[in-house]
Amino acid sequence: MSEQQSVATCEGGSWKLVVRHVSDDLTIAEVWCFGAKLSETTLNTDGVVTVTDPSVHST
């Protein structure tokens, strides 16, 4: 059975917050400004929170 993502977006001016519930145990929140991702935060059901700065961890 495949899981379906749910996405919520909140925008104000040049800022945007995107929250994606990607599975039963993982949620990802992204903060954007002027089209650039400023941070990505993951939260899992074990209570582990990880914040990533895309400018430091670019691919």
Side-chain angles (χ1 to χ4, degrees), residues 12-32:
S14 58
W15 293 91
K16 179 167 68 170
L17 172 65
V18 179
V19 179
R20 294 181 288 132
H21 179 71
V22 295
S23 67
D24 285 341
D25 62 351
L26 183 65
T27 298
I28 300 173
E30 301 170 340
V31 176
W32 294 77

Side-chain angles (χ1 to χ4, degrees), residues 33-52:
C33 185
F34 294 111
K37 186 175 9 176
L38 301 180
S39 69
E40 179 176 290
T41 303
T42 61
L43 171 64
N44 68 25
T45 54
D46 293 328
V48 177
V49 176
T50 305
V51 179
T52 304

